[in-house]
Amino acid sequence: MGMTITEKILAKAAKREFVEPGENIWLNVDVLMTHDVCGPPTIDIWKREFGKEAKIWDKDKLVIFPDHYIFTKNPQANRNVDLLREFANEYGIKNYYDVGTDRYKGVCHIALAEEGYNLPGTVLFGTDSHTCTSGAFGMFSTGVGNTDAAFILGTGKIWEKVPASLKFTFNGKMPNYLTAKDLILKILGDITTDGGTYKALEFDGDAIFSLPMEERMTLTNMAIEVGAMNGIIAADKVTEEYVKARTDKKYELYQSDEDAKYVKKFSYDVSQLEPSVAKPHSPDNYSTVKDVVGTKLTKCYVGSCTGGKLPDFISAAKIIAGKEVKVPTFIVPGSVNIARQLKEEKINGETLYNIFEKAGCTIAEASCAACLGGPADTVGRATDGEVIISTTNRNFPGRMGSKKSAVYLASPLSVAASSVTGVITDPREFL
Amino acid sequence: MEKEIIGKAFVLGDNIDTDQIIPAEHLVYSLNDADESKKYGHFALSGVPFEQSGLPEGKIAFINGERNDSDYKVIVGGANFGCGSSREHAPFALEKAGVKAVVAESYARIFFRNAVDGGFIVPYETKEKINNKIKTNDEIVINLVENKLVNKTSGESFELKPLGDILPIIEAGNIFEYARKSGLMNE
């Protein structure tokens, strides 16, 4: 019987010939990633459980990116980064990317890709729900809590239930008014926030394979928003090119078998899809942008692991170029590397950075920032009564900082179009 | 493992995400420091919009005033309880507040794993939707042997789904105790 790409990778990690959905198996983990919010409590649990002589199963496989609460005066948040630094020094963790040094990278899910940790065919766990982002590289990746991470830290192993797979095929040529964000919001509307619980989301189709890695990452990033364990896209030439440019580590390519089993298959013709939003207060509260046009806004936000990558800023800049924003608009690059690219990448001879600056946007430093609210002094944080359109991934009550705010999730094109009008606007008006 | 959990119900709706259970701004406190970690109890469920806090009426505080624990020992939720982020601070905050069990139609994967592997609370699944059949402040008895929930206030009882594969982990206390007992940590 055939296996899906997810089943094949999990079988390999469990040293098995064959696995099937529903089986609980023990996996050997290739990479464990953590950050400033969940790293310190993970380390505490690891020390508590493994004692004074606690050993890390494989120091080279532990990767730590401080990224959540970085540019804040909050003493406890800063203490968490201090704890990571002390831990990295004490145990000699070379894959630690410290704040305030030229090693600082930015948001973990983007940095994992940029630093060559995402390798097709491997298994990556992280203490963050959006760890599923790495699945764009034809690998298995998922989020866990501190206890599970501490278990991995000490043993290199973790149990997991093999997920059944859902397949989403997108056919056709991507129109210029759509981005990957529109596709995943459409899926959310169709299957809701628990439609993928404990499942693997596999993306397929020529529209998917026409996308650059960053856009593919937007799809797998939001697999968790339907409750999925992982999102996955088979690696192709685009993937291999991206990986080889960043690392010489070995990887293995997997494809789903023709007769692999799926719980359900969905098929879309991208030419029939519309710019999408998720209305307040749930990522599955789907609407076309067209149906909410004119909604008055107080803020626009382009950033995060979902919508703060180079193609997101190129999309936004295309619309914002030569115009002025009508409401406060925040540009938050997902990584230091992307922040640098903003000053290099040009549209009609002008850098993205200059385009955003001239338009009156606030350009912040790379971090998770207001995507998840954060400490009171976090840039772009939502306040009571605000109505925001954002390229981020979640809009449950209070997610961006105030439970009395309303957040619309949308593509960078839709957010940019809205920023120059001050009301929710269909990007096709500017394209 | 206790055989019975007895306490008042606090009823919530569907899709209670981890930001509603413990808002992200509070994730800075130590979970290890006995005194500081009490804040997690204090802020538990503080992200739930007040109108939806303690159904069916709503506008019921889960934590009163400056307290760090709650009068409610049983959370009754709907579908997809604990969706959103991977923060283990969420089941930890509920435990700190004194919650013993959550009873919901379904759970998000990471919250469910965290609740069980960390040994914080017992996450029971219901066979039917019950958050519209139980009222906040109802007196609840959960029988963990018979997998049954009795609402002492209304006299109604509901079957719960057996804990299945996770029961040995809950009985052991957490994933580490379970792994030690089954020899998995000594390999």
Side-chain angles (χ1 to χ4, degrees), chain A residues 24 26 37-38 41 44-45 48-50 69 74 76-77 79-80 125 127-129 142-148 150-151 155 157-161 193-194 197-198 224 229 372 374-375 381 394 396-399 401 403, chain B residues 15 17 19-20 24-25 27-32 36 39 46-50 79-80 83-89 106-110 112-114 117-118 120 165-166 169 174-180 184-185 187:
Chain A
N24 285 316
W26 284 87
V37 169
C38 295
D44 282 340
I45 296 170
R48 181 190 78 203
E49 296 295 335
F50 292 92
Y69 303 156
N74 183 295
Q76 287 111 341
R79 182 187 58 191
N80 276 337
F125 280 78
T127 59
D128 190 293
S129 62
T142 192
V144 286
N146 310 332
T147 298
D148 284 344
F151 195 94
T155 66
K157 292 184 195 316
I158 191 70
W159 70 271
E160 194 56 90
K161 193 193 283 283
T193 51
D194 61 357
T197 300
Y198 255 103
I224 182 65
M229 184 186 293
L372 77 162
R381 195 176 191 273
R394 273 183 198 137
F396 292 118
R399 166 74 179 179
K403 59 183 176 182
Chain B
N15 294 316
D17 79 304
D19 270 296
Q20 295 182 66
E25 66 187 291
L27 304 181
V28 297
Y29 313 126
S30 168
L31 292 92
N32 213 22
E36 196 175 316
K39 287 187 193 272
S46 64
V48 177
F50 204 45
N80 205 23
C83 58
S85 90
S86 70
R87 67 189 71 156
E88 191 161 304
H89 314 62
S106 63
Y107 294 89
R109 165 185 163 266
I110 308 178
F112 187 80
R113 280 187 77 113
N114 289 344
D117 284 1
F120 301 113
D165 284 353
I166 63 160
I169 304 175
N174 64 36
I175 187 71
F176 290 99
E177 293 303 325
Y178 169 76
R180 274 187 206 102
L184 287 161
M185 298 260 289
E187 274 178 18

Side-chain angles (χ1 to χ4, degrees), chain A residues 240-302:
Chain A
E240 286 198 81
E241 221 167 83
Y242 186 102
V243 170
K244 280 181 178 159
R246 287 160 181 84
T247 180
D248 49 14
K249 285 183 208 146
K250 282 186 186 146
Y251 57 84
E252 233 176 309
L253 303 180
Y254 289 89
Q255 299 279 343
S256 292
D257 291 324
E258 287 286 324
D259 58 344
K261 280 220 174 91
Y262 296 91
V263 185
K264 211 171 169 189
K265 291 181 182 178
F266 298 80
S267 187
Y268 300 89
D269 172 356
V270 288
S271 70
Q272 299 302 307
L273 298 179
E274 297 256 344
S276 310
V277 293
K279 295 181 287 182
H281 297 280
S282 182
D284 63 0
N285 197 6
Y286 177 85
S287 164
T288 59
V289 172
K290 213 168 55 188
D291 284 346
V292 290
V293 153
T295 305
K296 272 191 99 174
L297 298 166
T298 61
K299 187 185 280 175
C300 296
Y301 190 97
V302 185

Side-chain angles (χ1 to χ4, degrees), chain B residues 75-124:
Chain B
I75 305 291
V76 178
N80 205 23
F81 191 91
C83 58
S85 90
S86 70
R87 67 189 71 156
E88 191 161 304
H89 314 62
F92 180 86
L94 294 178
E95 187 200 36
K96 279 282 163 187
V99 170
K100 298 289 179 199
V102 177
V103 178
E105 255 178 288
S106 63
Y107 294 89
R109 165 185 163 266
I110 308 178
F111 178 89
F112 187 80
R113 280 187 77 113
N114 289 344
V116 173
D117 284 1
F120 301 113
I121 46 157
V122 180
Y124 257 121

Side-chain angles (χ1 to χ4, degrees), chain B residues 23-90:
Chain B
E25 66 187 291
H26 301 307
L27 304 181
V28 297
Y29 313 126
S30 168
L31 292 92
N32 213 22
D33 183 277
D35 225 34
E36 196 175 316
S37 65
K38 286 180 186 160
K39 287 187 193 272
Y40 285 103
H42 179 67
F43 290 113
L45 295 180
S46 64
V48 177
F50 204 45
E51 300 70 36
Q52 292 146 43
S53 177
L55 299 175
E57 281 88 9
K59 299 188 178 176
I60 299 172
F62 178 65
I63 300 282
N64 279 314
E66 295 304 307
R67 284 175 58 183
N68 295 320
D69 62 342
S70 174
D71 292 332
Y72 302 98
K73 298 271 176 281
V74 178
I75 305 291
V76 178
N80 205 23
F81 191 91
C83 58
S85 90
S86 70
R87 67 189 71 156
E88 191 161 304
H89 314 62

